[in-house]
Structures are given as structure tokens and as C-alpha cells.
Amino acid sequence: MNSSSAGNTPRLRSRDWFGKRDRWGLGHRAWLRAEGFSELVFEGKPVIGICNSWSELNNCNAHLRQVAEAVKRGVWEAGGFPLEFCTISLGEMLMKPTTMLYRNLMAMEVEECLRAYPLDGVVLLCGCDKTTPAQLMGAASADIPALMVPGGPMLRGMWRGREIGSGTDVRRFWDEVRAGRMTEEEWCEIESCVSRSSGHCTVMGTASTMACLAEALGMTLPGCADIPAVDSRRLAMAEESGRRMVAMVAEGLRPSRMLTPQALENAIRVDMAIGGSTNAIVHLVALAGRVGLDLPLSRFDEISRVTPVIANLKPSGEFLMEDFYYAGGLPAVMKEISPLLHLDALTANGKTLGENIARAGCFNRNVIKTLGQPLRPEGGTVILKGNLAPQGAVLKQSAASPHLLRHKGRAVVFENAEDLIARIDDAQLEVDENSILVLKNAGPKGAPGMPEWGHLPIPAKLLKAGVKDMVRLSDARISGTSFGTIVVHIAPESAVGGPLAAVKNGDWIELDVPSRRLELLITDAELNNRLAAWQPPAPHYERGYGKMFLEHVLQAHEGCDFDFLRGASRGEAADPLKRFPNPAV
Ligand code: FES
């Protein structure tokens, strides 16, 4: 955004639409006045977009119309002109094959709406897993002043006096059903108990993680990430965010001033300290790419080794997001790990991260531990490498079984998801608790969209025998709510000829998390011979968005963004009417 000649106040983009007395200026004003606005709204008020991912197809975001109204109150009160618009919404439960197939589409839609419309700033309303990174990526690329208001977690699940966390506990119960230890009646009861309100999942899954990382990046107001969706303070925070957005426009506070290398490192630190979702790694790498920064997986591991997990939240720990908020939430976590953070990073309220957390307090040490007595001595997630994952793989060690973190076992290979479904519960399947379950063709191109299929089910016959965890490997992702010794994001994926494609039934595989190794125990010559004979699978799409996705999606270690979307904005959003002027008459 350019500065005006009169001082440091940035020129309003919207004046290029509404500030002219010519035919186009009249048209821009007159057509918007069809919505009932008076001429006063065009007298130099900054236009604040409210980018809403509300949808009835996405229960996690179903309350965001109400949140938008609160944002509008704040915008009007601060002298702005709010205009709400909707984009595609990515509902994790209903959208198939996976929302990850559409994260980049939503990011593109957000970016192009911010660029093409007369917006001086934007408040981003998100919630469910991919809506948050998609909006962050789009806003980073458009680079107009932007502030995020995540929708917050839903109320905790309650069943027969027990607290249940979305995803995490449902998976445990399903294993109990498959093992014959839970009745059909009990299973049906849970359906009405697990999701008791709008809002995102109640554990430290991907949605909670990404909301926390948005705050750690400085892209929300302080204390915004974890307020429950239905808590009145969520709406008060939304109102305040609307007010603040008007000031951010006046200050020219754009994402490029906040999304610095220091802010990204803060986000990685926080991710490790909260036992965040493995998905956060893909999203942060993609976001870094949008501001022209390279974020290698090795940096995540370096930070993980020296950042303990201190948030005692499912799936790594015991508690739920409501407990986290009441215990002091993310500000309390950041205060505790403040010696490890870049405290001078600029945030959306115009203050530094250090200023924001200076008075944060912890009110429940069972939920938020200390650096001296953490939940786990290292960060939640590790990066593995080896001949099976030359470009890296990811494992959430905080939710894994300690006895499996060093493990050697024989591969039981499933060629794709259909093969897995067909054979996993076959009584004849040759598998025991020491086997390593391997799923191929579940990566960005192979599945397509890298679905959350990496939480391979434990074979029913082993569940019945009391087996609770096994080592599982794939080029897929897992839900942030998942638990177990599960290696995911193996790169390059099998569908592009990564070494995973060469694994055969009965091969020995070695996982060594302390030394960060993942090895297929065959000779280099044998591996090369197998890969030379490998044939790529047929592409899933011949036309449309799917074809574009397959042609341009990057691998997991590169963030699964499209190759043509990486790179910092060069101010394209600032002056669309100067670059592409309306005809003079
Ligand atoms: Fe939306 Fe879990 S399904 S956050």
C-alpha cells in the first residue's frame, strides 16, 4: 500500500473505486447503494472486508455469521465500512476425498477476492482445520492489512459423566467396538454426546493448533486462539478485532510486516510446546513460501529437540481445549516458553509478542506445565530421514508409544486405501504386533490430496488380543486428533516414485526416533532395481481443478502448495485499477 503525500497514513485502496466522480466511480457507489447504504459510507471510510468461511456444510464454522456481526460492530464503531463476503469453506468431516485437496483452492480464492475487491483491510473468520491455513496463505499473498478471528473450539464432549475429545476418543471407542468391548447401544449414544456446539474439535488437533499458530504469528489479537466458540468473550474479541482492523489500515500493518522469519520460528516453537498437529508442519512450510521464505524440515527438528511439550492436552496429554482456555491458554504457554521466543516480533495489535504476554498467567498447572517440569522433554513432532524418506517424514512423538520409538519389524504392505480396507481385518492377514503396517499411494498426488489416512487401523484380530498400538508408515497425513506410533508425510511420495513405492511384504524396516532414522533394510542396489521397475499409477483426474492440482502440487516437505503460488507478493494488490484501469469512457 502506498503512502499518501500528506503524511504516513497509507492511501486507501478503496478510494480508487469510490473516490472518483467519473462514470466508473458513480457505478461503483450506485451499485453498492443497492444494498441500502447511504452516501456517507463512501466519504473516506476504510472498507473492511470480513472474509467468512461460514457454511452449513461445515459445522465447525456454522456460528461465524454471528461472529461476523460482532466484527461489523467494531468496524462501524471505529469509523470503518464493513462488507462481509463468503468463500468456499472446507468442512473436515463431510468434504471428500479430503479438505487438503482444496486448501490451495481456498487460498487462491481468498487471495484473489482481497486483490480484486475495493478492500483496505480484511478480518478473516476461520475455524475448521484447513480454513485457517488457507486464509493465512491467501492473505499473505494479497498482503493487505489482515487480522484473523478463529471461531474457537466447541464445548467438550460428555458421555455418561466422562469427558470425551473429538476425534481422539472417538477413535479409541471405535477400536473398542471393533474389539467387541463396546456395545452398539453405547456407540450410538456417543454420537449425540461428542459434538455439543458449533466450533472446531475439542482437542489439540489441527484446528486448535492452527488457531494457536495464527496467534503466535501475530495474526490475531492476543488471547484470541482458544476462547470457546460459544463463550460470549469470543464475540467481544471479534468486536475488538473489527475495531483494531480499522487502526491497522491506518498504520499500514500488512502481513508481510508480521510474517517474518522470527514470527515463523515462534510459531514452530509454540507448535512443539503445545504438542501440535503434524499438519501444522505442512501449513507453516506453505505459508513461509507465500512470503518468500524457505523453511526446511530440519529447522522443525532443531527446534523440537530443545522445546519441551508443556500443554497437557489430548491427543498428547489428558485435557481438552476448554480446560486450556480456563488455565490461561496460549498466552500462558508463550509466557512459560518466553526464553525460547523472539519477543520483539510485531503482532496485530501493534505491540510486540513480549509486550502481549508480559502479564499472562497460568491458573492450572495440571493443564499447562512448566519448562522445568514439562509433559515431555522434547517437542511434540520430530522429522525423520533415511533411505525410505530422503526428503523427510514426520512423527508425533508426544502421542506415540514409548516402547515403539525404536523398533524393527517386517512390512505388511497395502498398495492403496482400497487394498487396506479390503484386507486389514482379514483373518488370514499375516501380521503380528511387531509388524509395521505400510500404506502406499496416499500422498499429495497418489490419493489425491494427501488425506488423513495415515492412522491405519490396527487389524481386528490384534485389537481383540489387546494390541493398542503398532508402527504405521505412509505418505498420507493424520488428523491432529490422532495418536499412536504413526510415521506420515513420507517424501517423496510413492506415487512419484519415492522409495516407499519399492517396499514389499516381509521387508525389514527400522524406525529409530531418537536418532531420527527411518530405513528400509535392503541394499542400495536392490532398492534401485525395484525403483527402476516401478510404474507410476494412472492419474486420478483428466480435467478441471483436480488436473491442475496434480500438475502443480508440491511434495509434503515443500508444503503441498502449488508451485506457481510460492514467492512473496510484490504489491500486486495495492493498485489494481492502476495496473488494469477501467476504460476512460
Ligand atoms: Fe472441523 Fe475437527 S472437524 S476442526
Side-chain angles (χ1 to χ4, degrees), residues 559-571:
C560 296
D561 204 357
F562 292 154
D563 49 12
F564 59 86
L565 291 173
R566 297 224 291 190
S569 163
R570 291 189 299 277

Side-chain angles (χ1 to χ4, degrees), residues 382-448:
V382 300
I383 306 299
L384 305 165
K385 282 212 169 177
N387 70 348
L388 196 43
Q391 298 295 345
V394 172
L395 177 137
K396 191 181 209 175
Q397 62 175 348
S398 58
S401 300
H403 73 282
L404 290 174
L405 293 178
R406 272 203 172 106
H407 183 76
K408 200 186 286 187
R410 284 190 180 275
V412 176
V413 177
F414 301 93
E415 290 299 322
N416 51 44
E418 294 76 28
D419 186 27
L420 174 75
I421 293 164
R423 293 195 296 122
I424 190 68
D425 284 343
D426 186 339
Q428 306 305 315
L429 185 70
E430 288 189 27
V431 64
D432 63 33
E433 63 185 297
N434 296 313
S435 303
I436 294 182
L437 304 180
V438 176
L439 175 64
K440 299 181 185 176
N441 293 306
K445 292 176 194 267

Side-chain angles (χ1 to χ4, degrees), residues 128-446:
C128 199
D129 294 12
K130 309 301 180 298
T131 57
T132 307
Q135 287 186 340
L136 286 172
M137 291 160 67
S141 291
D143 203 28
I144 67 170
L147 174 61
M148 180 161 264
V149 182
M154 63 175 87
L155 292 173
R156 73 181 92 222
M158 290 297 293
W159 176 60
R160 297 188 180 185
R162 282 172 68 179
E163 293 186 357
I164 52 179
S166 20
T168 305
D169 288 315
V170 171
R171 279 189 179 80
R172 287 204 173 94
F173 291 143
W174 179 233
D175 281 350
E176 293 299 291
V177 172
R178 293 174 65 233
R181 292 188 288 264
M182 177 174 260
T183 67
E184 175 88 15
E185 184 188 4
E186 290 171 325
W187 176 243
C188 289
E189 269 180 40
I190 288 165
E191 180 177 316
S192 63
C193 302
V194 68
S195 298
R196 296 171 50 231
S197 74
S198 294
H200 60 68
C201 288
T202 53
V203 301
M204 188 49 83
T206 305
S208 302
T209 302
M210 292 310 300
C212 288
L213 300 196
E215 183 168 331
L217 286 163
M219 291 294 292
T220 74
L221 291 184
C224 184
D226 38 52
I227 306 171
V230 295
D231 193 306
S232 58
R233 288 167 285 190
R234 168 69 48 201
L235 297 180
M237 178 64 79
E239 181 185 304
E240 180 56 29
S241 297
R243 254 192 303 273
R244 174 61 193 154
M245 188 68 243
V246 176
M248 286 175 72
V249 170
E251 295 163 16
L253 188 44
R254 293 175 288 138
S256 56
R257 290 179 57 193
M258 293 183 283
L259 299 177
T260 60
Q262 292 74 24
L264 284 158
E265 289 212 349
N266 285 342
I268 299 172
R269 288 267 180 219
V270 165
D271 182 36
M272 296 303 163
I274 60 178
S277 166
T278 47
N279 290 320
I281 295 177
V282 175
H283 299 320
L284 282 177
V285 171
L287 180 62
R290 293 302 187 98
V291 290
L293 297 171
D294 193 29
L295 196 51
L297 292 188
S298 56
R299 191 65 191 124
F300 288 84
D301 204 62
E302 289 162 9
I303 292 175
S304 176
R305 284 187 184 275
V306 293
T307 310
V309 179
I310 63 167
N312 186 10
L313 301 172
K314 291 181 179 186
S316 301
E318 300 171 66
F319 294 97
L320 298 175
M321 288 303 289
E322 261 189 272
D323 307 305
F324 186 51
Y325 177 60
Y326 305 142
L330 187 66
V333 167
M334 292 199 287
K335 178 78 177 293
E336 185 61 34
I337 64 168
S338 58
L340 304 173
L341 294 172
H342 299 284
L343 296 176
D344 54 353
L346 180 62
T347 73
N349 68 350
K351 298 181 179 169
T352 65
L353 184 70
E355 289 174 305
N356 289 344
I357 62 174
R359 286 188 294 283
C362 174
F363 312 112
N364 187 338
R365 281 293 174 203
N366 291 324
V367 179
I368 299 172
K369 307 284 189 181
T370 61
L371 273 181
Q373 290 187 301
L375 188 71
R376 305 266 191 282
E378 287 191 353
T381 318
V382 300
I383 306 299
L384 305 165
K385 282 212 169 177
N387 70 348
L388 196 43
Q391 298 295 345
V394 172
L395 177 137
K396 191 181 209 175
Q397 62 175 348
S398 58
S401 300
H403 73 282
L404 290 174
L405 293 178
R406 272 203 172 106
H407 183 76
K408 200 186 286 187
R410 284 190 180 275
V412 176
V413 177
F414 301 93
E415 290 299 322
N416 51 44
E418 294 76 28
D419 186 27
L420 174 75
I421 293 164
R423 293 195 296 122
I424 190 68
D425 284 343
D426 186 339
Q428 306 305 315
L429 185 70
E430 288 189 27
V431 64
D432 63 33
E433 63 185 297
N434 296 313
S435 303
I436 294 182
L437 304 180
V438 176
L439 175 64
K440 299 181 185 176
N441 293 306
K445 292 176 194 267

Side-chain angles (χ1 to χ4, degrees), residues 13-18 20 24 28 115-116 118 572-582:
R13 295 175 77 238
S14 59
R15 301 311 292 160
D16 288 344
W17 280 261
F18 301 130
K20 302 217 167 102
W24 286 105
H28 297 147
R115 180 172 295 130
E572 292 97 333
D575 297 305
L577 287 175
K578 286 200 173 64
R579 297 181 79 209
F580 310 107
N582 290 314

